Amino acid sequence: MESLSNKIKRKPWLGWVMFFATMVVVFLLGLLASSIVERRAEATYAYKPKVELAEFEPRNQVWGEAYPREYDTYKQMADTSFRSFYNGSAMIDMLEVDPRLVVLWAGYGFSKDYNQSRGHIYAVKDIHETLRTGGPTGPGEGPMPSTCWTCKSPDVPRLMNEIGVAEFYKGKWADKGEEIVNPIGCADCHDPKTMDLRISRPALAEAFERQGKDINDATHQEMRSLVCAQCHVEYYFKGDGKYLTFPWDKGTSVEAMEEYYDEAKFKDWTHAISKAPMLKAQHPGYEIHQTGIHAQRGVSCADCHMPYKNEGGQKFTDHKIQSPLNNVANSCQVCHRESEDELKKNVYDRQAKVIEQRDQLEVNLVKAHIEAKVAWDKGATEEQMKDILQDIRHAQWRWDYAAASHGGSFHSPVEIMRVISSGMDKAQDARLKTARLLAALGFNEEIPYPDIATKAKAQEYVGLDMEKLTKEKEVFLNTLVPKWLEAAVERENSWDKN
Amino acid sequence: MRRFFKKLLPPPKWRLPVLVLFGIFSGLAAYILYISNALSYLSDDPKTCVNCHIMTPQYVTWQHSAHREKATCNDCHVPHDTIFNKYFFKAKDGMRHATIFTLRAEPQVIKMHDPGKEVVQGNCKRCHGGLNENVSAINGTLETSKHGEGRLCWDCHREVPHGRVNSRSAVPNARVPLPQSPVPDWLKKHVEKQAESK
């Protein structure tokens, strides 16, 4: 066959055809490549509004200008009209509902005042108003440490960035009153540049690190629970620096955290009646949720508490974070095909059964505290009381782990019942030992249950001067708080001038 | 056979330019495979489907649905009768999608075409058939629905799983695993620095 070069020598146009054909193919391939690159670059801009937000912008309304739908639903948290069977979005005076709590927390802030909480939007207002934070008259005053602010506001990461984390936790609650004014909101969970979920509080990341895990490896779906786990978890204030710490090093079960606290010889307070070294469970909502069937099936907090919402032709995450019982259609019924009434009944049934047992444990605990006091009064020695007090500590820790876990009886009813039963066992152990001790001390009679039918009676029984506390609070709210808010307005106005 | 290949080989004095040209072609083709994430299309990972960001509404609505835990995109949208059919359909559908995406001819509201409907209907039955064998509607096919003799599953189950609102602008702030920018980090930093110094 004739060689190609000979052919081209004979017919030069053949060479030109080959030249142009190659050129066209390479040109088209290049065009395709550049189109792919272009469209990939497009993806990095798609679904990301180009808004300039400062790295630590704490003002939710400023974010709201860029994300009006999310912000609108966020603001709906101001609505406090929803009541479920036990809780809801309204503030409920839990000490009035259940005066036994006053005795269980005798000697601790929670016996002064404890309300079922309202939505995130009230976080700062409600911590100002609760009697637990007392009536400080200025910096360095008041009963609470600065650490109490940690979960209340997107001003917290801003301030931590300015003064450092350890420095933030130091000092009194009142020291930072004028710095922290915006209620829990956008910057607590979102990156201002990409809107991706991000961890803004160090304690959770530190707890992960101590467990040998890197929180940066979390998937998007895990992050939809982990941003909540920055606050809705068990924690304590470690050491003199009151460094916010999660007791997760041995695990997150009730026993694992109890062991952690026992080893650290940590106590939140000494009980005013029984003198037991007590633990106050915060709200291990995340830990308990992880043991439940919904978590095991891959359901995140946001799936039910912030379901998808339609508005016209738009879909977005409902930022009215609330009980799914107020929005069964968009939460439960995405997966469950039963009627709304049926689903609600399922939840209430579980809650009712758990509360029935929890109430019984409370009664036992109140008796255990009071009987321990009688033993002290009859001249029991510390050596004789040691075991009993440890049992009381463990029993009430279990009760509190269950009671404070926000929705635990729904999130993980079996685990909650297990915790309550083991608490029941510990409480009865304490009472048996006390009865034996009392008998040895020559006392063998029934100890009367105190009259704690109302909050007022219970508070009088544990020796609280409510009138004084209320008055202090009133002065604080009328003098110091307005000053804080004024200073905050001035600070925030100065940002806008720059 | 060997003689056939020999015929394809260019004459010796042409070897060098042909080698270089062939290299350019292969390199360009490899670059296109790389930049378009081509290998990911062999997998069943739903992330693949947001290689093109216009699939974001579909991805994110699936991600908020009950199907998220059990069914990937491919479980519903490609046939599962034989592995050959699966990849044939995938290739056929993929070529169509790639062409339309490249030509920027995608519609504002993306809807399934007939072949896709048939596959999805089949896959509804594949998983839900056992539970629903006594439901007369389960016998519906694309054919019967066209002739008004039956319905497709999603004629009634309209929210499953993507919902009824599905335009390309329906999910303004969706968080989905879109492919990252093809621009390397050092270049991005350089560009940012340049922008700052201005």
Side-chain angles (χ1 to χ4, degrees):
Chain A
M1 205 181 101
E2 190 183 10
S3 81
L4 200 57
S5 44
N6 281 344
K7 253 189 208 168
I8 291 170
K9 224 176 243 171
R10 223 160 24 81
K11 303 179 192 162
W13 60 266
L14 201 64
W16 284 108
V17 166
M18 283 171 71
F19 171 71
F20 280 112
T22 315
M23 201 179 83
V24 166
V25 171
V26 173
F27 178 78
L28 287 178
L29 272 177
L31 210 58
L32 178 62
S34 93
S35 142
I36 294 170
V37 172
E38 240 174 69
R39 299 224 73 169
R40 273 192 59 174
E42 215 175 273
T44 57
Y45 295 102
Y47 308 104
K48 278 176 200 154
K50 293 281 117 183
V51 193
E52 290 285 325
L53 285 166
E55 176 66 18
F56 291 100
E57 178 58 68
R59 291 168 296 179
N60 298 317
Q61 68 272 20
V62 175
W63 292 62
E65 286 165 19
Y67 303 96
R69 286 180 204 88
E70 285 80 1
Y71 183 57
D72 267 1
T73 51
Y74 167 84
K75 278 196 297 184
Q76 288 167 17
M77 272 192 286
D79 172 22
T80 55
S81 59
F82 174 67
R83 279 298 297 258
S84 67
F85 198 68
Y86 291 102
N87 289 317
S89 58
M91 194 190 259
I92 305 170
D93 185 340
M94 293 311 285
L95 299 183
E96 198 66 75
V97 173
D98 184 356
R100 284 186 296 260
L101 302 181
V102 177
V103 180
L104 297 184
W105 290 324
Y108 195 57
F110 276 82
S111 61
K112 299 175 192 167
D113 189 18
Y114 171 51
N115 299 310
Q116 123 84 29
S117 51
R118 302 191 283 183
H120 285 163
I121 204 167
Y122 292 105
V124 172
K125 186 173 161 40
D126 285 351
I127 200 179
H128 283 163
E129 289 177 3
T130 178
L131 292 180
R132 290 204 299 282
T133 52
T137 48
E141 300 289 324
M144 290 308 196
S146 169
T147 318
C148 286
W149 283 117
T150 311
C151 272
K152 299 298 173 190
S153 164
D155 280 307
V156 172
R158 174 183 68 78
L159 195 57
M160 281 179 167
N161 179 58
E162 281 170 25
I163 64 175
V165 177
E167 193 55 36
F168 175 89
Y169 294 141
K170 269 186 206 142
K172 286 288 185 189
W173 178 75
D175 299 354
K176 301 186 176 73
E178 59 176 66
E179 289 288 350
I180 296 166
V181 289
N182 294 289
I184 302 167
C186 318
D188 288 312
C189 304
H190 287 288
D191 180 307
K193 283 216 173 68
T194 61
M195 284 306 128
D196 283 339
L197 293 175
R198 76 162 176 194
I199 303 297
S200 60
R201 302 299 196 275
L204 177 64
E206 288 162 0
F208 262 59
E209 218 176 284
R210 287 198 305 277
Q211 289 180 311
K213 295 187 284 186
D214 184 356
I215 199 154
N216 295 312
D217 295 340
T219 63
H220 177 62
Q221 182 62 7
E222 284 166 342
M223 283 299 283
R224 294 175 76 223
S225 291
L226 285 174
V227 289
C228 312
Q230 299 182 93
C231 293
H232 294 262
V233 288
E234 169 62 17
Y235 57 78
Y236 76 112
F237 301 169
K238 187 178 185 175
D240 292 335
K242 300 284 176 198
Y243 200 94
L244 184 71
T245 308
F246 296 0
W248 288 2
D249 296 10
K250 294 171 185 294
T252 55
S253 70
V254 76
E255 290 86 1
M257 294 205 257
E258 179 183 272
E259 203 188 317
Y260 174 96
Y261 281 136
D262 285 353
E263 239 170 61
K265 294 200 168 44
F266 177 79
K267 64 173 177 182
D268 279 292
W269 89 103
T270 302
H271 199 274
I273 296 171
S274 66
K275 300 200 175 70
M278 303 302 291
L279 292 170
K280 174 77 189 80
Q282 309 305 331
H283 23 63
Y286 172 77
E287 293 94 323
I288 287 181
H289 174 256
Q290 292 303 99
T291 68
I293 195 67
H294 282 87
Q296 286 162 14
R297 293 286 180 273
V299 179
S300 70
C301 306
D303 279 320
C304 306
H305 293 280
M306 307 176 71
Y308 241 28
K309 186 182 167 89
N310 267 5
E311 213 174 74
Q314 307 267 284
K315 284 181 192 171
F316 59 99
T317 308
D318 193 342
H319 279 61
K320 182 186 182 188
I321 301 162
Q322 61 170 345
S323 163
L325 293 174
N326 196 25
N327 191 7
V328 174
N330 289 332
S331 51
C332 319
Q333 288 180 330
V334 169
C335 298
H336 299 290
R337 288 284 162 244
E338 291 72 21
S339 76
E340 184 168 334
D341 286 342
E342 177 77 15
L343 289 165
K344 278 188 176 173
K345 185 179 173 296
N346 296 152
V347 177
Y348 293 151
D349 280 353
R350 279 158 183 74
Q351 289 179 336
K353 285 173 188 179
V354 169
I355 285 195
E356 181 191 310
Q357 291 304 299
R358 195 201 71 188
D359 282 352
Q360 187 52 47
L361 176 53
E362 275 175 28
V363 172
N364 287 341
L365 275 168
V366 169
K367 286 182 179 165
H369 282 299
I370 291 165
E371 287 160 3
K373 183 184 180 336
V374 174
W376 284 116
D377 291 348
K378 300 282 172 200
T381 65
E382 263 181 44
E383 192 50 39
Q384 286 171 312
M385 292 301 286
K386 205 176 149 207
D387 251 13
I388 296 169
L389 298 185
Q390 188 74 349
D391 278 343
I392 293 180
R393 166 184 164 99
H394 288 167
Q396 184 155 332
W397 156 248
R398 279 146 211 265
W399 163 80
D400 215 354
Y401 182 94
S405 65
H406 293 177
S409 52
F410 168 75
H411 292 151
S412 191
V414 177
E415 175 68 5
I416 285 283
M417 277 302 204
R418 188 188 74 81
V419 169
I420 290 175
S421 328
S422 73
M424 207 83 93
D425 191 39
K426 299 270 177 199
Q428 295 296 20
D429 262 0
R431 294 191 60 205
L432 266 173
K433 286 175 192 166
T434 318
R436 228 181 279 136
L437 175 60
L438 283 171
L441 293 169
F443 183 84
N444 195 6
E445 283 165 42
E446 169 113 21
I447 291 153
Y449 194 77
D451 178 14
I452 48 167
T454 65
K455 174 184 170 183
K457 279 182 185 172
Q459 284 176 330
E460 203 191 318
Y461 175 74
V462 303
L464 276 172
D465 186 353
M466 294 312 290
E467 210 170 300
K468 181 169 161 258
L469 290 173
T470 320
K471 203 168 266 170
E472 276 174 9
K473 184 80 294 171
E474 213 171 285
V475 174
F476 162 74
L477 287 175
N478 290 331
T479 54
L480 197 54
V481 170
K483 271 190 211 155
W484 286 356
L485 298 181
E486 230 169 80
V489 168
E490 208 170 291
R491 175 181 63 244
E492 291 182 350
N493 284 343
S494 75
W495 296 338
D496 294 334
K497 275 177 204 141
N498 297 333
Chain B
M1 196 68 181
R2 189 170 283 182
R3 210 177 280 165
F4 175 74
F5 277 117
K6 261 198 179 147
K7 264 190 185 168
L8 277 185
L9 281 178
K13 56 178 176 177
W14 278 55
R15 290 252 160 101
L16 188 69
V18 167
L19 270 177
V20 171
L21 258 186
F22 198 68
I24 290 175
F25 272 121
S26 325
L28 207 53
Y31 177 67
I32 286 174
L33 286 181
Y34 162 74
I35 200 76
S36 64
N37 254 338
L39 278 184
S40 69
Y41 292 98
L42 298 174
S43 77
D44 287 327
D45 188 348
K47 264 190 203 164
T48 306
C49 302
V50 280
N51 275 349
C52 308
H53 54 86
I54 58 168
M55 272 286 131
T56 296
Q58 282 70 24
Y59 182 94
V60 81
T61 44
W62 162 79
Q63 201 212 359
H64 282 84
S65 78
H67 277 80
R68 172 186 78 198
E69 298 300 330
K70 295 289 172 207
T72 63
C73 309
N74 280 347
D75 283 327
C76 302
H77 290 283
V78 298
H80 292 271
D81 42 3
T82 65
I83 188 142
F84 300 107
N85 205 19
K86 173 179 170 178
Y87 279 98
F88 171 69
F89 188 86
K90 220 178 179 184
K92 195 178 69 165
D93 232 21
M95 282 315 290
R96 211 187 93 81
H97 290 177
T99 312
I100 292 189
F101 188 67
T102 308
L103 298 174
R104 292 183 177 268
E106 63 270 12
Q108 180 64 21
V109 178
I110 296 170
K111 287 190 167 157
M112 275 193 291
H113 286 75
D114 281 354
K117 284 184 186 171
E118 217 173 317
V119 167
V120 174
Q121 178 72 8
N123 280 324
C124 294
K125 291 181 192 170
R126 187 166 65 89
C127 295
H128 297 284
L131 259 180
N132 294 318
E133 55 195 351
N134 294 327
V135 180
S136 59
I138 195 76
N139 295 318
T141 62
L142 183 62
E143 251 341 271
T144 62
S145 90
K146 274 186 171 168
H147 293 95
E149 290 160 1
R151 287 184 182 282
L152 296 168
C153 298
W154 58 94
D155 284 341
C156 299
H157 301 272
R158 288 190 287 179
E159 296 286 342
V160 180
H162 298 298
R164 273 176 280 176
V165 176
N166 258 315
S167 84
R168 271 163 49 208
S169 51
V171 289
N173 302 320
R175 315 306 318 141
V176 295
L178 294 174
Q180 293 304 301
S181 159
V183 180
D185 282 342
W186 64 266
L187 187 56
K188 260 191 225 159
K189 272 183 199 147
H190 177 75
V191 172
E192 264 168 39
K193 246 188 211 161
Q194 288 281 322
E196 266 169 34
S197 64
K198 269 178 201 167

